């Protein structure tokens, strides 16, 4: 009723700064909000999919995140930070999903490392390195992948990852180190 | 965990479990340290890293990982951008102006049981609209300062605007002020003492939008 | 209950017919809280909300209509017309005691 996707006419808003868009959206401007959704929605979708390990729930998580963002935009003090603010919201929602999912699944199952993946060795011949990396990332144990994603896609510090995931900083450090080594080793194998 | 092939021996740092072996293979460093070193742009220079061929191999591996990771992200983003717009429509359909409605601003009516109001959100909307009708100016935040709920109470309006570079700022600001005054007169009964316009930024001519690099 | 109170759909239709009105939005605080609670199951909610809010109170009926108006209209004029149309409709449909008729302009253009 209130929102219709605007026709794709070039508008000065399309190239407006994040701050301008965040300010206008905080004032209730749906068009400015739509530009933000278009600008950062794809990155948020990639991010949520990586954290969740599949795209089954990406639609829901990203939609909820934007609805939350719309409601809380007034609390964002600096509009220039809207991108990292959005990433934080979607990251948190994705992690919440994982926790909820885990209530239904045996904890040991989800925390167990994924079976040592030999797929990349085979795939390397047919897929580009890029695709192969996607497979290795997907095959990482859940906690490693989550830490890696927060670090690499959302620029979280070690401390922030620890806070977000409720883990000791030393554990985060260890998980990231393992993820890094696994990725490096797999890449070395593709050569 | 990992069977060591000859290739792996060339680069023992891939050993997942043994930090000592890792350090032995990297001139006393760990991969984590090398990764942090890269993050810092390799400054200040550390001789024990720069002079070690083993570290150099590892650094190259890390850089390659970053490159591949960046191109994976680019690929994923491209894929996401090619999706149809249904997901955007669904988001916009599910958000409510309610959340951004703000205060209620009264409109007069003779009946004692009538309560006619316009929301602050709607007023900000017409202020933006007034600006958007002008060329070469974009209106950002609009704040209604003062108690808008009291009829005839004078209020001030504070506006941030961005102007196309090269434009005459005082002239455009004056035009915007007039457009806003006339819109407020049409849609509200507010007594506006002043409209303060701050030109906060110079807006650069639009180019093709590159989403991820928009953020300064 | 003696007074006959019209249904929300009828009132919404009355409001929609008023010249200058281009949208009728769901009104009322009850709705807003329900929405927040339902975050997470967010789909379809626009279609299940009552539009014009009708509350029966001790001092009479309270009507709240939330509208969008056309950009060429004066909001005071449209609000008055909506108010008067609601008042006239109430008068015709049993003339219940009226505590308040609220008209909220939520969007313009």
């Amino acid at each position: 009723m209130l929102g219709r996707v605007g026709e794709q006419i070039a508008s000065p808003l399309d190239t407006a700064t994040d701050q301008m868009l965040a300010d206008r959206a905080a004032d209730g401007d749906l068009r400015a909000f739509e530009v933000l959704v278009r600008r950062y929605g794809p990155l948020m979708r990639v991010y949520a999919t990586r954290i969740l390990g599949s795209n089954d729930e990406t639609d829901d998580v990203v939609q909820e995140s934007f609805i939350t963002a719309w409601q809380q935009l007034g609390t964002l003090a600096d509009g220039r930070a809207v991108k990292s603010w959005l990433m934080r919201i979607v990251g948190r929602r994705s992690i919440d999903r994982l926790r909820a999912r885990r209530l239904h699944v045996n904890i040991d199952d989800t925390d167990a490392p994924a079976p040592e993946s030999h797929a990349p060795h085979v795939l390397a011949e047919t897929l580009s390195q890029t695709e192969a990396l996607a497979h290795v990332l997907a095959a990482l144990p859940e906690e490693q992948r989550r830490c890696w994603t927060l670090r690499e896609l959302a620029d979280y510090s070690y401390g922030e990852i620890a806070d977000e995931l409720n883990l000791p900083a030393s554990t985060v450090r260890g998980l990231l180190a393992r993820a890094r080594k696994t990725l490096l080793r797999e890449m070395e194998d593709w050569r | 965990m990992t069977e060591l092939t000859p290739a792996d021996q060339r680069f023992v740092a891939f050993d997942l479990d043994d930090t000592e072996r890792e350090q032995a293979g990297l001139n006393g460093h760990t991969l984590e340290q090398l990764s942090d070193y890269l993050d810092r742009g390799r400054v200040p220079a550390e001789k024990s890293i720069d002079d070690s061929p083993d570290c150099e191999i590892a650094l190259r591996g890390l850089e390659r990982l970053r490159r591949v990771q960046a191109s994976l992200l680019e690929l994923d983003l491209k894929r996401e951008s090619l999706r149809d717009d249904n997901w955007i429509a669904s988001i916009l359909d599910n958000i409510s102006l309610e959340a951004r409605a703000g205060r209620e601003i009264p409109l007069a009516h003779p009946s004692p049981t009538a309560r006619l109001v316009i929301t602050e959100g709607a007023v900000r909307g017409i202020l933006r609209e007034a600006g958007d009708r002008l060329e070469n100016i974009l209106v950002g935040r609009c704040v209604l300062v003062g108690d808008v709920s009291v009829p005839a109470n004078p209020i001030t309006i504070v506006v941030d605007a961005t102007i196309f570079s090269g434009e005459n700022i005082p002239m455009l600001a004056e035009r915007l002020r007039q457009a806003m005054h006339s819109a407020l007169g049409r849609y509200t009964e507010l007594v506006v003492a002043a409209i303060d316009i701050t030109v906060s930024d110079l807006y650069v001519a639009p180019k093709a939008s590159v989403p991820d690099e928009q953020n300064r | 209950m003696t007074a006959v109170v019209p249904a929300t759909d009828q009132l919404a239709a009355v409001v929609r017919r008023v010249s200058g009105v281009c949208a009728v939005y769901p009104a009322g605080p009850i709705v807003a809280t329900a929405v927040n609670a339902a975050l997470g199951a967010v789909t379809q909610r626009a279609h299940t909300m009552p539009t014009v809010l009708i509350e029966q109170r001790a001092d009479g009926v309270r009507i709240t209509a939330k509208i969008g108006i056309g950009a060429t209209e004066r909001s005071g004029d449209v609000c008055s017309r909506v108010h008067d149309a609601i008042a006239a409709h109430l008068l015709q449909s049993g003339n219940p005691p009226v505590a308040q008729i609220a008209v909220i302009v939520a969007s313009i253009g």
Side-chain angles (χ1 to χ4, degrees):
Chain A
M1 62 157 185
L2 297 176
R4 279 278 156 261
V5 176
E7 286 161 40
Q8 290 289 306
I9 315 164
S11 139
L13 277 185
D14 293 341
T15 51
T17 61
D18 283 357
Q19 168 151 35
M20 167 68 68
L21 295 170
D23 284 354
R24 286 177 67 122
D27 273 2
D29 185 4
L30 265 179
R31 286 190 306 145
F33 190 69
E34 184 183 338
V35 177
L36 284 175
V37 173
R38 283 184 193 284
R39 189 173 287 179
Y40 295 121
L43 179 61
M44 290 163 70
R45 294 183 54 88
V46 172
Y47 183 47
T49 305
R50 288 265 183 87
I51 296 176
L52 290 162
S54 77
N55 62 9
D56 299 350
E57 294 170 291
T58 304
D59 281 338
D60 286 354
V61 165
V62 173
Q63 174 160 321
E64 286 169 16
S65 299
F66 274 118
I67 291 169
T68 304
W70 172 258
Q71 290 175 330
Q72 296 179 358
L73 258 168
T75 65
L76 175 64
D78 182 357
R80 282 173 300 184
V82 71
K83 178 186 173 187
S84 56
W85 185 71
L86 286 170
M87 292 294 273
R88 218 150 272 249
I89 293 174
V90 75
R92 211 159 278 170
R93 290 225 158 239
S94 306
I95 291 163
D96 286 348
R97 279 281 166 142
L98 282 181
R99 292 207 177 108
R101 206 194 272 166
R102 199 172 305 173
L103 291 177
H104 303 285
V105 186
N106 188 324
I107 291 176
D108 293 338
D109 285 353
T110 46
D111 273 344
E116 187 75 1
S117 168
H118 292 292
H121 303 254
V122 183
L123 288 167
E125 290 162 18
T126 49
L127 296 177
S128 71
Q129 288 195 358
T130 311
E131 298 281 346
L133 176 62
H135 283 270
V136 183
L137 274 174
L140 281 181
E142 185 185 299
E143 295 215 302
Q144 286 184 36
R145 193 186 59 243
R146 232 185 297 163
C147 289
W148 188 258
T149 305
L150 293 178
R151 175 98 182 131
E152 298 295 320
L153 284 189
D155 292 326
Y156 274 53
S157 69
Y158 287 47
E160 288 170 327
I161 298 173
D163 288 347
E164 208 65 54
L165 299 180
N166 247 330
L167 293 170
S170 57
T171 305
V172 169
R173 209 163 266 282
L175 287 166
L176 280 170
R178 288 182 82 87
R180 187 181 297 117
K181 285 180 200 170
T182 304
L183 293 170
L184 272 175
R185 187 192 57 213
E186 296 290 350
M187 285 193 46
E188 199 75 359
D189 285 350
W190 308 330
R191 292 220 249 219
Chain B
M1 176 151 203
T2 311
E3 279 177 60
L4 289 184
T5 62
D8 286 327
Q9 280 164 9
R10 184 165 58 80
F11 191 178
V12 288
F14 293 146
D15 191 296
L16 290 179
D17 299 308
D18 190 342
T19 310
E20 273 170 34
R21 277 170 57 93
E22 180 176 337
Q23 289 172 324
L26 291 172
N27 204 19
H29 296 281
T30 62
L31 265 180
E32 186 181 350
Q33 287 166 351
L34 296 188
S35 179
D36 291 346
Y37 188 50
L38 270 188
D39 282 341
R40 296 195 302 268
R42 300 177 78 149
V43 281
E46 280 191 43
K47 253 183 109 42
S48 64
I49 295 178
D50 290 342
D51 291 350
S52 154
D54 290 331
C55 287
E56 194 50 45
I57 293 173
L59 284 170
R60 256 186 260 141
L62 283 166
E63 280 173 332
R64 189 158 141 261
L65 173 59
R66 285 176 190 198
R67 273 198 310 278
V68 177
Q69 194 157 269
S71 67
L72 172 61
L73 178 60
E74 205 175 299
L75 195 77
D76 282 343
L77 283 176
K78 197 175 287 169
R79 217 172 266 155
E80 289 294 345
S81 308
L82 290 175
R83 291 161 53 88
D84 63 40
D85 277 351
N86 289 344
W87 66 280
I88 296 176
S90 151
I91 288 166
L92 297 181
D93 275 348
N94 280 293
I95 65 177
S96 145
L97 287 182
E98 198 96 30
R100 309 254 63 97
R103 297 172 286 179
E104 295 191 337
I105 302 168
L107 298 162
H109 192 278
S111 164
T113 57
R115 188 171 74 88
L116 310 187
V117 299
I118 179 167
T119 65
E120 190 176 15
V123 172
R124 287 190 300 237
I126 56 139
L127 291 172
R128 277 195 305 273
E129 188 65 28
D132 289 351
R133 281 172 197 280
L134 300 175
E135 284 191 7
N136 302 333
I137 189 165
L138 259 185
V139 172
R141 180 151 278 177
C142 300
V143 184
L144 280 58
V145 183
D147 190 349
V148 293
S149 65
V150 180
N153 182 44
I155 62 147
T156 302
I157 294 184
V158 179
V159 177
D160 285 336
T162 299
I163 285 179
F164 231 48
S165 54
E167 291 294 321
N168 182 329
I169 294 176
M171 191 192 74
L172 265 184
E174 188 46 41
R175 249 188 238 161
L176 177 62
R177 194 173 286 118
Q178 280 171 12
M180 286 183 163
H181 262 300
S182 100
L184 288 167
R186 172 179 287 274
Y187 300 111
T188 75
E189 291 159 12
L190 288 167
V191 176
V192 180
I195 300 179
D196 295 338
I197 299 173
T198 307
V199 178
S200 52
D201 208 358
L202 289 180
Y203 178 58
V204 185
K207 268 192 294 184
S209 164
V210 186
D212 211 20
E213 289 163 14
Q214 211 83 31
N215 212 16
R216 296 134 304 144
Chain C
M1 175 90 35
T2 47
V4 184
V5 176
T8 175
D9 294 355
Q10 286 173 11
L11 268 179
V14 167
V15 173
R16 243 179 232 115
R17 276 200 299 272
V18 173
S19 149
V21 173
C22 60
V24 182
Y25 300 124
I30 301 154
V31 175
T33 32
V35 169
N36 287 335
L39 223 168
V42 281
T43 49
Q44 312 288 320
R45 71 153 220 267
H47 312 288
T48 56
M49 282 183 181
T51 44
V52 176
L53 182 69
I54 303 170
E55 297 165 290
Q56 189 68 57
R57 299 270 183 86
D59 57 347
V61 64
R62 300 171 90 89
I63 311 283
T64 306
K66 188 172 286 191
I67 59 171
I69 68 172
T72 57
E73 307 288 337
R74 300 188 76 86
S75 45
D77 296 349
V78 182
C79 273
S80 286
R81 289 202 289 270
V82 170
H83 171 274
D84 297 349
I86 293 173
H89 185 80
L90 290 176
L91 192 64
Q92 278 170 18
S93 51
N95 196 15
V98 174
Q100 186 183 74
I101 297 175
V103 184
I104 301 169
V105 178
S107 77
I108 298 169

